[in-house]
Amino acid sequence: MTDPRYPTGPYVPNPFPDGSDLAAWIDVLAATPARLRSAVRGLDDAQLDTSYRVGGWTLRQVAHHVPDSHLNAYVRFKLALTEETPLVKDYEESRWAELPDARAGSIEPSLALLESLHERWVRLLRALGPADFAREFRHPAYEAPFTLGRTLGLYAWHGPHHTAQITTLRSSRGW
């Protein structure tokens, strides 16, 4: 049986992405907002307030989490591009998901935020060169720094991963 936490499979890092990997990942980021919007289209409040798995977030929380996470990533990219190996701030994503806006708020502002954010982020990413993707930041939870190229791979996985949590539940429930 497939683990409902990881309907697309767990993240497997590519520590040495090449130009074709980066281009493909940027294309995935460009498509993520439309795919997430499509995944939640037509869901009513009761469906949005359904957990995608036992003990998991609701679909509403997932829809709010993706832009929250990608906004943090975007800031990390900007910091790494403008500072020398900056230490970025971690955030408590599970606690963010429990805040009132994520628990009960309309998902439309988060979908619009994701669209605008990705428009900016993809424009930036498509203008970067190999040296830019080799730039690094430090995360307080890890010893080794992260390159922007490796981090791009994580976020190219992240959006489809959460979108699949929604579409998998929809499919299993016949929504």
XYZ file of all heavy atoms in Angstrom, residues 128-173:
370
model
N 18.901 33.185 -13.726
C 20.114 32.805 -13.005
C 21.023 31.922 -13.855
O 20.563 31.200 -14.731
C 19.751 32.068 -11.713
C 18.919 32.834 -10.696
C 18.660 31.969 -9.465
C 19.581 34.150 -10.303
N 22.308 31.983 -13.536
C 23.296 31.133 -14.190
C 23.807 30.060 -13.250
O 23.442 30.027 -12.063
N 24.675 29.187 -13.738
C 25.198 28.089 -12.915
C 25.841 28.549 -11.606
O 25.649 27.906 -10.569
C 26.229 27.414 -13.830
C 25.771 27.751 -15.212
C 25.167 29.119 -15.119
N 26.570 29.641 -11.628
C 27.204 30.123 -10.392
C 26.163 30.537 -9.362
O 26.375 30.367 -8.151
C 28.147 31.281 -10.693
N 25.043 31.066 -9.833
C 23.982 31.458 -8.906
C 23.378 30.233 -8.221
O 23.105 30.254 -7.016
C 22.881 32.222 -9.638
C 23.381 33.514 -10.245
O 24.057 34.286 -9.541
O 23.100 33.746 -11.441
N 23.155 29.164 -8.984
C 22.573 27.958 -8.399
C 23.547 27.248 -7.460
O 23.126 26.424 -6.649
C 22.079 27.009 -9.492
C 20.803 27.473 -10.124
C 20.807 28.016 -11.402
C 19.602 27.390 -9.446
C 19.626 28.456 -11.989
C 18.415 27.829 -10.016
C 18.431 28.366 -11.291
N 24.817 27.581 -7.551
C 25.810 27.017 -6.636
C 25.902 27.799 -5.325
O 26.532 27.343 -4.372
C 27.186 26.985 -7.313
N 25.266 28.967 -5.266
C 25.281 29.756 -4.030
C 24.587 28.969 -2.924
O 23.738 28.115 -3.186
C 24.645 31.114 -4.243
C 25.508 31.986 -5.191
C 24.997 33.384 -5.286
N 25.063 34.113 -4.041
C 26.108 34.811 -3.598
N 27.210 34.861 -4.311
N 26.051 35.459 -2.450
N 24.954 29.288 -1.692
C 24.498 28.493 -0.563
C 23.859 29.347 0.530
O 24.119 30.544 0.633
C 25.689 27.755 0.066
C 26.383 26.783 -0.873
C 27.606 26.154 -0.242
O 28.317 26.844 0.532
O 27.861 24.979 -0.527
N 23.063 28.655 1.352
C 22.589 29.212 2.613
C 22.727 28.120 3.666
O 22.849 26.936 3.350
C 21.143 29.729 2.508
C 20.103 28.675 2.237
C 19.558 27.910 3.263
C 19.647 28.468 0.942
C 18.593 26.946 3.005
C 18.676 27.511 0.674
C 18.151 26.746 1.713
N 22.735 28.550 4.900
C 22.787 27.607 6.013
C 21.412 27.584 6.683
O 20.783 28.621 6.845
C 23.854 28.009 7.031
C 25.273 27.838 6.489
C 26.347 28.306 7.459
N 26.227 29.744 7.703
C 26.024 30.303 8.902
N 25.962 29.563 9.991
N 25.924 31.609 9.028
N 20.994 26.387 7.043
C 19.727 26.180 7.743
C 20.068 25.750 9.166
O 20.941 24.906 9.353
C 18.910 25.097 7.026
C 17.524 24.949 7.512
N 17.214 24.370 8.712
C 16.345 25.333 6.971
C 15.914 24.382 8.885
N 15.357 24.965 7.837
N 19.392 26.311 10.169
C 19.770 26.004 11.545
C 19.602 24.542 11.939
O 20.244 24.087 12.895
C 18.854 26.907 12.388
C 17.746 27.307 11.498
C 18.284 27.267 10.093
N 18.806 23.775 11.219
C 18.582 22.373 11.573
C 19.593 21.420 10.936
O 19.561 20.220 11.209
C 17.165 21.962 11.186
N 20.496 21.948 10.080
C 21.429 21.087 9.353
C 22.836 21.648 9.438
O 23.030 22.863 9.448
C 21.017 20.976 7.872
C 19.625 20.417 7.697
C 18.516 21.265 7.611
C 19.413 19.046 7.635
C 17.236 20.757 7.466
C 18.137 18.527 7.487
C 17.054 19.391 7.411
O 15.789 18.892 7.270
N 23.808 20.750 9.456
C 25.205 21.203 9.516
C 25.696 21.736 8.180
O 26.292 22.792 8.108
C 26.112 20.050 9.979
C 26.134 19.880 11.476
C 27.208 18.902 11.909
O 28.326 18.931 11.352
O 26.899 18.098 12.811
N 25.456 20.973 7.122
C 25.981 21.344 5.808
C 25.097 22.409 5.168
O 23.869 22.372 5.308
C 26.060 20.120 4.908
N 25.697 23.348 4.446
C 24.883 24.343 3.740
C 24.148 23.713 2.558
O 24.511 22.645 2.073
C 25.902 25.375 3.262
C 27.212 24.693 3.310
C 27.122 23.576 4.280
N 23.104 24.389 2.108
C 22.312 23.968 0.958
C 22.634 24.855 -0.225
O 22.690 26.079 -0.086
C 20.807 24.121 1.255
C 20.276 23.118 2.217
C 20.381 23.321 3.580
C 19.655 21.969 1.756
C 19.874 22.390 4.474
C 19.149 21.036 2.643
C 19.263 21.244 4.008
N 22.803 24.265 -1.404
C 22.930 25.065 -2.611
C 21.528 25.425 -3.102
O 20.546 24.724 -2.811
C 23.664 24.319 -3.742
O 22.855 23.217 -4.162
C 25.045 23.854 -3.312
N 21.439 26.488 -3.864
C 20.153 26.857 -4.438
C 19.685 25.806 -5.442
O 18.486 25.536 -5.547
C 20.224 28.238 -5.080
C 20.430 29.392 -4.093
C 20.354 30.724 -4.820
C 19.451 29.336 -2.941
N 20.606 25.200 -6.167
C 20.220 24.153 -7.110
C 19.563 22.980 -6.421
O 18.499 22.505 -6.843
N 20.175 22.504 -5.356
C 19.598 21.384 -4.603
C 18.250 21.788 -3.999
O 17.293 21.020 -4.012
C 20.560 20.937 -3.516
C 20.018 19.816 -2.680
C 21.010 19.359 -1.634
N 20.369 18.396 -0.757
C 20.866 18.003 0.394
N 22.019 18.474 0.804
N 20.225 17.146 1.140
N 18.161 23.004 -3.499
C 16.930 23.480 -2.883
C 15.813 23.601 -3.912
O 14.654 23.299 -3.622
C 17.183 24.821 -2.169
O 18.244 24.636 -1.225
C 15.948 25.314 -1.448
N 16.153 24.013 -5.115
C 15.160 24.084 -6.182
C 14.533 22.710 -6.410
O 13.322 22.594 -6.599
C 15.801 24.614 -7.463
C 14.915 24.669 -8.697
C 13.695 25.553 -8.464
C 15.722 25.162 -9.896
N 15.338 21.668 -6.378
C 14.816 20.309 -6.540
C 13.813 19.947 -5.460
O 12.792 19.303 -5.735
N 14.082 20.365 -4.229
C 13.160 20.099 -3.132
C 11.804 20.750 -3.393
O 10.757 20.119 -3.228
C 13.746 20.621 -1.812
C 12.804 20.620 -0.617
C 12.357 19.216 -0.261
C 13.470 21.302 0.577
N 11.808 22.005 -3.825
C 10.540 22.702 -4.030
C 9.828 22.262 -5.307
O 8.594 22.332 -5.382
C 10.728 24.211 -3.917
C 10.887 24.521 -2.452
C 12.138 24.545 -1.857
C 9.769 24.672 -1.649
C 12.272 24.745 -0.498
C 9.898 24.875 -0.293
C 11.143 24.903 0.284
O 11.273 25.077 1.644
N 10.564 21.751 -6.269
C 9.929 21.153 -7.448
C 9.208 19.867 -7.052
O 8.209 19.489 -7.660
C 10.960 20.885 -8.539
N 9.695 19.194 -6.028
C 9.016 18.012 -5.485
C 7.851 18.438 -4.576
O 6.782 17.835 -4.595
C 10.014 17.156 -4.691
C 9.375 16.066 -3.887
C 9.026 14.816 -4.321
C 8.978 16.127 -2.507
N 8.450 14.096 -3.300
C 8.414 14.892 -2.168
C 9.059 17.104 -1.528
C 7.928 14.604 -0.903
C 8.578 16.837 -0.255
C 8.018 15.592 0.046
N 8.057 19.468 -3.779
C 7.128 19.857 -2.720
C 5.729 20.200 -3.228
O 4.727 19.717 -2.683
C 7.728 21.042 -1.941
C 6.945 21.437 -0.750
N 6.094 22.521 -0.762
C 6.893 20.906 0.490
C 5.550 22.640 0.437
N 6.014 21.677 1.221
N 5.631 21.044 -4.237
C 4.313 21.429 -4.754
C 3.526 20.244 -5.285
O 2.370 20.025 -4.882
N 4.107 19.444 -6.183
C 3.389 18.256 -6.671
C 3.065 17.252 -5.561
O 2.026 16.592 -5.599
C 4.348 17.661 -7.701
C 5.116 18.846 -8.208
C 5.312 19.718 -6.978
N 3.932 17.145 -4.580
C 3.706 16.251 -3.438
C 2.406 16.621 -2.720
O 1.539 15.772 -2.497
C 4.925 16.351 -2.510
C 4.692 15.997 -1.090
N 4.495 14.706 -0.666
C 4.640 16.773 0.029
C 4.334 14.708 0.652
N 4.413 15.949 1.090
N 2.251 17.902 -2.384
C 1.038 18.314 -1.681
C -0.180 18.330 -2.607
O -1.286 18.002 -2.168
C 1.246 19.669 -1.007
C 2.085 19.565 0.229
N 1.716 18.804 1.319
C 3.286 20.109 0.538
C 2.641 18.898 2.253
N 3.621 19.680 1.806
N 0.005 18.667 -3.851
C -1.102 18.603 -4.803
C -1.605 17.170 -4.912
O -2.823 16.926 -4.942
C -0.652 19.154 -6.174
O -0.240 20.516 -6.000
C -1.766 19.074 -7.196
N -0.706 16.208 -4.927
C -1.097 14.799 -5.008
C -1.812 14.334 -3.740
O -2.668 13.442 -3.809
C 0.120 13.922 -5.288
N -1.501 14.911 -2.599
C -2.261 14.559 -1.393
C -3.729 14.917 -1.593
O -4.625 14.174 -1.195
C -1.692 15.283 -0.169
C -0.344 14.748 0.261
C 0.320 15.582 1.332
O 0.058 16.774 1.491
N 1.207 14.943 2.090
N -3.967 16.051 -2.222
C -5.339 16.501 -2.486
C -5.997 15.633 -3.552
O -7.115 15.129 -3.364
C -5.337 17.989 -2.890
C -4.853 18.844 -1.719
C -6.721 18.422 -3.366
C -4.500 20.283 -2.084
N -5.321 15.433 -4.674
C -5.936 14.678 -5.773
C -6.122 13.206 -5.415
O -7.090 12.586 -5.868
C -5.126 14.812 -7.073
O -3.779 14.355 -6.858
C -5.110 16.263 -7.559
N -5.250 12.660 -4.595
C -5.394 11.265 -4.168
C -6.633 11.102 -3.297
O -7.409 10.155 -3.469
C -4.130 10.790 -3.435
O -3.011 10.884 -4.331
C -4.267 9.358 -2.944
N -6.845 12.043 -2.365
C -8.044 11.978 -1.532
C -9.291 12.166 -2.396
O -10.275 11.431 -2.244
C -8.017 13.019 -0.418
C -9.258 13.013 0.471
C -9.344 11.725 1.285
C -9.269 14.217 1.390
N -9.249 13.121 -3.296
C -10.397 13.355 -4.184
C -10.744 12.083 -4.944
O -11.917 11.709 -5.060
C -10.114 14.489 -5.174
C -10.156 15.864 -4.565
C -10.104 16.914 -5.619
N -11.449 17.047 -6.195
C -11.929 18.168 -6.691
N -11.194 19.268 -6.706
N -13.142 18.206 -7.186
N -9.735 11.449 -5.468
C -9.954 10.232 -6.257
C -10.540 9.115 -5.374
O -11.496 8.447 -5.781
C -8.637 9.786 -6.875
O -8.807 8.591 -7.585
N -9.990 8.943 -4.180
C -10.465 7.866 -3.302
C -11.884 8.112 -2.819
O -12.613 7.158 -2.559
C -9.518 7.681 -2.124
O -9.651 8.749 -1.188
N -12.289 9.373 -2.729
C -13.638 9.720 -2.256
C -14.626 9.950 -3.420
O -15.798 10.205 -3.190
C -13.595 10.978 -1.403
C -12.774 10.881 -0.132
C -13.565 10.184 0.977
N -12.796 10.029 2.191
C -12.896 10.816 3.259
N -13.755 11.814 3.252
N -12.155 10.593 4.308
